[in-house]
Amino acid sequence: MKVRILVSLKPGVLDPQGRAVHHALEGLGFAGVDDVRIGRTVTLEVADDTSDAALEEMCEKLLANTVIENYRIEKLEG
Amino acid sequence: MKVRILVSLKPGVLDPQGRAVHHALEGLGFAGVDDVRIGRTVTLEVADDTSDAALEEMCEKLLANTVIENYRIEKLEG
C-alpha cells in the first residue's frame, strides 16, 4: 500500500526557505507571487495491513516535528 | 489562488534521505515498511490570473531540478 504523508509548517511559524524561494522567484521576474511555503512529503510503501494508528505513530515519533509541523496522511492507489 | 507543487526524485535516483528514514523507522520497531521516498512541496499563493505556463516556468527555472526531479502542479481550493 502506498501512503503519502504531507508535512508542513504550522501557520505562523517562520519559513525562511519559503521566503528565500519567494525572493528568488521575484528576482527571476515572476510577478503576482504573494506567499511561498515549503513542506515535505514522505512517500511510504507499506504492508496492506498497516493500521492508521501505526501510520500516525510513525508521524508522531519520527516523520514530523509536531511542535512546529502539521502532517496529513493520504493513502494513494497503486 | 493557492497552488501546490509536488517535487519528487525521479524513479531510479538514489534517495539517501529516504533510506535513512527507512532505517530509523525499522529501528523504532515499525515492521512492514518496504520503501521510503522523501519529496518536497512548494505551496504558492499567486494571483488568480497566473497562467499554467508561468507556473511551469517557475518549476523549470527554480522549484525543481529537472535533471533528477519530477514535479506536479496541483491547484488547491481556497
Side-chain angles (χ1 to χ4, degrees):
Chain A
M1 171 173 64
K2 203 168 199 174
V3 179
R4 180 171 64 194
I5 294 162
L6 291 158
V7 181
S8 55
L9 287 171
K10 289 183 176 177
V13 175
L14 195 66
D15 181 0
Q17 267 191 316
R19 197 170 284 192
V21 170
H22 194 172
H23 286 309
L25 285 171
E26 285 173 347
L28 287 169
F30 292 105
V33 179
D34 301 325
D35 191 35
V36 179
R37 301 281 286 180
I38 306 293
R40 197 168 60 250
T41 61
V42 182
T43 306
L44 301 170
E45 190 67 49
V46 293
D48 289 345
D49 60 355
T50 306
S51 68
D52 290 353
L55 292 172
E56 292 239 349
E57 203 185 338
M58 290 181 200
C59 294
E60 296 282 334
K61 280 191 175 173
L62 182 73
L63 303 178
N65 173 354
T66 50
V67 174
I68 59 167
E69 291 174 331
N70 291 323
Y71 63 86
R72 198 171 77 223
I73 298 170
E74 293 177 351
K75 294 189 181 173
L76 306 176
E77 281 77 36
Chain B
M1 171 173 64
K2 205 167 197 171
V3 178
R4 179 170 62 195
I5 295 163
L6 292 158
V7 181
S8 55
L9 286 170
K10 289 183 176 178
V13 174
L14 195 68
D15 182 0
Q17 268 191 317
R19 196 169 287 190
V21 170
H22 194 173
H23 286 312
L25 285 171
E26 285 172 347
L28 287 169
F30 292 105
V33 180
D34 301 326
D35 190 35
V36 179
R37 301 281 285 180
I38 307 294
R40 197 165 62 250
T41 61
V42 183
T43 305
L44 300 170
E45 192 67 49
V46 294
D48 289 345
D49 60 357
T50 306
S51 68
D52 291 353
L55 293 172
E56 293 239 352
E57 203 185 340
M58 289 180 200
C59 293
E60 295 282 334
K61 281 189 173 172
L62 182 73
L63 303 179
N65 172 353
T66 51
V67 173
I68 59 168
E69 291 175 330
N70 290 323
Y71 64 85
R72 200 173 74 221
I73 299 170
E74 293 178 352
K75 292 189 180 173
L76 307 176
E77 280 76 37

